[in-house]
Amino acid sequence: MSRPARAVAVPVPGGDLQVGVWDASDAGEPGGDAPTIMAIHGVTSSHLAWELLAEQLPGVRIVAPDLRGRGRSNELEGAAGMARHADDLAAVSRGLGLGPVVVVAHSMGAFVAMVFAARHPDLVARLVLVDGGLPLDAPAGLSPDELVDAILGPTAARLTLRFDSTADYLDFWRPHPAFQNDWSPALERYLAYDLVPAVGESTAGGGPLLRPATSYATTVEDTIDMNTTSTIADAVAALHRPATLVTVPRGLQNEEPGLYPERYLQGLLAANPAIVHERWPDFNHYTVVLSDAGAARLAALVRRELAQRPAEEPLAR
């Protein structure tokens, strides 16, 4: 890791939101004149999802929060939901003096980005939405737990597990089908960061048991908001900033189809013709961000977006 992130705490309702900032290597003082993006991670992720992208963009400052209920923001008090996350991002943007920036967002983070752009358009220049952001074809009539299981499956089930050590947690992940060709030191750092002590629980040897940092309750709350309310549809309808959607053909378990099956995706794109779409066939939902090849391709897209003139007029819809 040649370019570590520095930690910044930003006051938000319920406590401090923890933010990772990769300063540009040639920007002089932190927060200088380098181009800046805000990067928003997925539902059970953290700011370290963006380490590989940061390595690909040494001249770009990357501001990447740990969303409420995740990473080192996992003990923030109060409800979550897309609007709360969006307002937390506004606090980060204003607290760090960012102004309107390109927002790069993955998975659930892309849905947060949509709501962020709708609620705080003055802080968003352009959107890069990676395998998320437009409504999913979620099954109807399910209980909250069933809905989470249907969409996230083992990704959510992991949140209830306990581990004796970081090594045990890495061993738990090694067989994961998404990473069979893309295991890396950066991925190991990302996974290790996910662990926090399980309060009041200990191993057979008396040491602290470890658990994934992400709050299951917050995951349920966010999944319900994304998929059973009008929050996302309303935000998409209100979108007045240029947006590029990247989708991939394989999902969280490297399975086909991914989150956006082809026929369903074509209907979404037809209903939202202002959104530019790119289909990247060589990736699954994780490796589009958490692999060297995915980060390199995403970095090229981010550089193109940074080179565009800021949007001054609302998009025609």
Side-chain angles (χ1 to χ4, degrees), residues 183-219:
W183 194 268
S184 69
L187 179 62
E188 291 193 0
R189 288 190 290 272
Y190 163 79
L191 295 172
Y193 180 81
D194 186 43
L195 290 177
V196 295
V199 177
E201 302 180 48
S202 59
T203 66
L209 276 174
L210 302 173
R211 65 171 180 85
T214 299
S215 161
Y216 179 78
T218 303
T219 298

Side-chain angles (χ1 to χ4, degrees), residues 74-150:
N74 70 319
E75 294 186 356
L76 274 172
E77 298 178 355
M82 300 299 101
R84 178 68 269 157
H85 291 308
D87 291 351
D88 286 346
L89 297 181
V92 171
S93 183
R94 294 188 173 110
L96 299 183
L98 301 188
V101 295
V102 173
V103 177
V104 181
H106 175 233
S107 191
M108 187 197 83
F111 296 94
V112 173
M114 271 290 190
V115 180
F116 181 41
R119 292 175 68 87
H120 305 281
D122 57 311
L123 301 178
V124 176
R126 311 177 72 86
L127 294 175
V128 176
L129 308 167
V130 183
D131 219 28
L134 292 184
L136 301 177
D137 189 18
L142 301 182
S143 71
D145 287 338
E146 288 170 339
L147 181 63
V148 169
D149 183 63

Side-chain angles (χ1 to χ4, degrees), residues 43-44 145 148-149 151-161 216 219-220 223 252 286:
V43 65
T44 65
D145 287 338
V148 169
D149 183 63
I151 294 174
L152 298 177
T155 298
R158 173 185 102 251
L159 304 181
T160 65
L161 301 180
Y216 179 78
T219 298
V220 171
T223 302
L252 282 73
Y286 283 119

Side-chain angles (χ1 to χ4, degrees), residues 8-19 66 72-76:
V8 178
V10 175
V12 295
D16 286 342
L17 196 77
Q18 301 301 310
V19 182
D66 283 349
R72 298 303 176 264
S73 302
N74 70 319
E75 294 186 356
L76 274 172

